[in-house]
Each structure stands twice: as C-alpha cells, then as structure tokens.
Amino acid sequence: MNSKESFLKNRLKSIEYAFKGAVFLVKTEASIQIQLIIAMLVTAAGFYFNISTNEWLAQIMAIGLVMSIEGINTAIEYIANFIHPERHQKIGIIKDIAAGAVFIAAIFAVIIGLIIYFPKIF
C-alpha cells in the first residue's frame, strides 16, 4: 500500500471514529438530545418563516457551535471522571468551566435566534 492509499484509509477511519462518537453522544447524552430537538424546531421555524441565506448561515453556525462544544464538554467530563472518579474540587472546577463554555455558546445562540425570529413573530 502506498502512502496516498494509507492517507486516504486513515482519513476514512477517522471519519468512522468521529461518526461513532457523534452517535454515542446522541444516544447517551440528554443535553445533546435536547439540543438536537431544539435544532430541529428552529430548522422547521426557518422553513416556516422563510429565513434568508444569511439567517440560515447564522442559525446553522449557532447550532453547530453549541452541539460541538457540548460534545467537547462531555469528553472533558469523561476524562475528568476517568482520572479522578471520586468528587474533587479541582475536577469540579474543570467540569464547571467546560459547562460554562456550553452555556456561553447557548446564550449567544439564543441571541441569534431572537435576532432572526423576533421581528418575524412580532
């Protein structure tokens, strides 16, 4: 096998692992499941209100950002729990910071949603 085939095979394996991780998140994490439901609702709202291309871009970016950071937050929680299974103050701070990142992204996603939908609803 030459290096070009090896590179392609490794990239395909990486995609397989990433897909497996995304499926695991959706199957096991309530927060991702809720965010997925919200994503479907705002996507339906986007079609209903016929939002512009730029509004779609902002909405898709917000959905992707929140769900991606939630995935990273979950990974951090798993690593922290693996390293230190019992309750520990510093591990708690690490987990809080990761959750805070999700919270910040979610707040800005809500602001984007309000900017897009508030004028259309009212």
Side-chain angles (χ1 to χ4, degrees):
M1 181 184 305
N2 68 35
S3 65
K4 193 180 243 185
E5 288 175 4
S6 178
F7 175 79
L8 182 59
K9 189 173 182 177
N10 288 337
R11 293 311 91 199
L12 291 174
K13 263 305 196 204
S14 294
I15 292 169
E16 178 185 338
Y17 296 141
F19 182 76
K20 186 174 153 183
V23 169
F24 178 82
L25 273 171
V26 171
K27 283 184 174 181
T28 62
E29 295 299 316
S31 54
I32 284 283
Q33 293 165 355
I34 292 165
Q35 291 164 3
L36 193 57
I37 291 167
I38 292 168
M40 289 188 281
L41 290 173
V42 294
T43 299
F47 286 113
Y48 179 80
F49 289 108
N50 195 30
I51 63 177
S52 72
T53 301
N54 287 336
E55 290 168 330
W56 273 114
L57 291 172
Q59 180 169 293
I60 290 166
M61 289 289 289
I63 291 167
L65 181 66
V66 171
M67 293 185 77
S68 296
I69 294 176
E70 183 63 58
I72 293 168
N73 176 50
T74 300
I76 290 168
E77 287 180 1
Y78 272 79
I79 290 169
N81 291 341
F82 179 77
I83 291 170
H84 210 292
E86 50 289 332
R87 200 163 184 77
H88 189 277
Q89 182 183 0
K90 292 203 182 208
I91 293 291
I93 291 169
I94 291 166
K95 290 173 154 185
D96 289 349
I97 291 168
V102 177
F103 181 71
I104 291 167
I107 292 296
F108 280 94
V110 168
I111 291 168
I112 289 168
L114 290 172
I115 290 169
I116 293 170
Y117 293 107
F118 192 80
K120 292 171 180 11
I121 295 170
F122 299 105

